[in-house]
Structures are given as C-alpha cells and as structure tokens.
Amino acid sequence: MSADRLQDYRAKRDFGSTPEPDGGAPSAAEERPRFVVQKHAASTLHYDFRLEDSGVLVSWAVPKGPSMDPAQRRLAMPTEDHPMDYAGFEGVIPQGEYGGGTVIVWDRGTFQLLPPEDQPDVTFQDLYAKGRLTVSLAGEKLRGGFALIRTGKAGERARWLLIKMKDDEALPGSDITEDAPDSVLTGRSLSEVAAEEGEL
Ligand code: MN
C-alpha cells in the first residue's frame, strides 16, 4: 500500500539529480507515529508539515509555518505523501528539480491522535477524510494539541488550517518560527546548509 501512495512523490522527481530519498527504505515500526516539519526555501519559503500514517508521511505545505499561538490560523495546503525516510532529509535540491531549494529539519518528534471523545477508536484516515484531524505533538519546538481543519467550498482545491489548540503548552503572542529558526537536526540555518551543501 505505501508503495502506491508514493507514486506522485516519485513521478515528480529524478533521483539521479536530487539528493532526496527515493522511498525505497522500509519504514521502521515505532510505538508512536512520527512527525516532522521541514523549512523549505523553494521558489517561496514555506514549512512542510508531515504526519506519519500507514508507512508514509502525509504532508501539507504551510506558507507561514506553524505557530504556538492559538490566535494564529495558518493556511496548510495538502501535498503528496512522502516516504518515511524523508523525515531525516536536510540538504539542497538542485535548481530545476521539483522543489529546488534548501531544506532543513525545522522540528521533529512523535505525535498521538486526539480522537473525539465519542469515537475513541477512530483512525487517522477517518479523521483525514472528515477534514478534522487533531493531534498532540511531542517535538522539540512544537508541543501539545494542534488541529488541522479542512475549509473551502466543494469543488475548490482543498485548503486546510493549522491551529494550535488552547492547552498548557500554548504560547499566546509567541512567534516560534522567528524565535527558533534553525535545524533541530544539525543546528544549522537555511543559509548555512545552502553554503555547505549547495552546488558550487
Ligand atoms: Mn516543500
């Protein structure tokens, strides 16, 4: 199943030209599913928010990035499922390739679904299909409850909102992308990765 879910991902990329993973490595079964947020300086800067489900990373592009302030509603556009080993990808996608630009691992960790009280056994796919996914993140930057809510009219391209839930981890008035801009994997900034790994 996960192989089929990566068809779009593979079709967009030439793995002879990009350093991104081809998704061939099997995903490791862990107790808790993983999440990753990658900061991606493509034609426009955005943050790729990815949640593990069924052996792939279900993904959204968030132009302004996540916020720990429940008053901020961040647009999140669905993108193709990515392979699990993408969660560790940090580097430079060559210009001219799909998504050309620099990527850093901005945050990562594990998450738990927060199912509605009356549906304790609901699955990730059920909640995704309903357009109302609530998760609790245990990352280095992002903590606590987040809601992903599908909006927009039927027939339009799906748009979602990513919103910090009001809980003990919420930081009203904060700006986490400004306060903590760098990689949690290597401590590097986007420009440091570009300088160290970019094309000469
Ligand atoms: Mn991206």
Side-chain angles (χ1 to χ4, degrees):
M1 180 169 89
S2 66
D4 290 336
R5 289 185 61 165
L6 295 175
Q7 240 172 14
D8 283 357
Y9 174 85
R10 292 200 183 90
K12 291 178 180 202
R13 292 170 175 80
D14 173 0
F15 294 105
S17 302
T18 178
E20 296 166 291
D22 64 10
S27 56
E30 292 182 26
E31 286 181 19
R32 291 230 172 128
R34 287 197 281 163
F35 84 94
V36 64
V37 182
Q38 280 152 320
K39 187 176 178 181
H40 184 186
S43 50
T44 55
L45 179 71
H46 60 274
Y47 295 73
D48 291 296
F49 185 88
R50 312 188 195 279
L51 299 174
E52 176 179 2
D53 179 59
S54 304
V56 296
L57 292 166
V58 177
S59 299
W60 293 260
V62 182
K64 290 188 175 175
S67 177
M68 288 294 287
D69 180 353
Q72 298 292 324
R73 300 160 153 251
R74 295 291 160 86
L75 178 66
M77 303 298 288
T79 58
E80 77 274 22
D81 292 341
H82 276 51
M84 281 309 302
D85 47 2
Y86 208 92
F89 175 71
E90 180 164 290
V92 178
I93 303 168
Q95 294 305 323
E97 297 301 314
Y98 181 74
T102 307
V103 176
I104 60 171
V105 177
W106 181 80
D107 197 19
R108 63 174 179 172
T110 59
F111 74 94
Q112 285 181 282
L113 278 185
L114 296 175
E117 269 180 37
D118 56 340
Q119 304 169 60
D121 299 324
V122 78
T123 66
F124 184 100
Q125 287 298 320
D126 293 336
L127 294 175
Y128 188 96
K130 284 185 184 149
R132 230 182 153 78
L133 257 178
T134 44
V135 293
S136 179
L137 303 181
E140 296 183 37
K141 298 175 184 174
L142 301 180
R143 312 280 309 174
F146 282 79
L148 276 153
I149 299 166
R150 193 171 58 223
T151 66
K153 298 171 192 137
E156 286 179 350
R157 189 182 165 197
R159 300 157 67 90
W160 296 60
L161 294 172
L162 174 64
I163 307 165
K164 177 74 191 85
M165 292 161 73
K166 291 176 184 163
D167 58 21
D168 290 348
E169 306 278 5
L171 298 169
S174 68
D175 187 345
I176 188 85
T177 55
E178 180 78 21
D179 295 342
D182 298 332
S183 168
V184 293
L185 203 60
T186 60
R188 294 181 296 176
S189 66
L190 274 172
S191 54
E192 285 168 337
V193 172
E196 289 167 20
E197 299 187 25
E199 292 169 285
L200 298 175

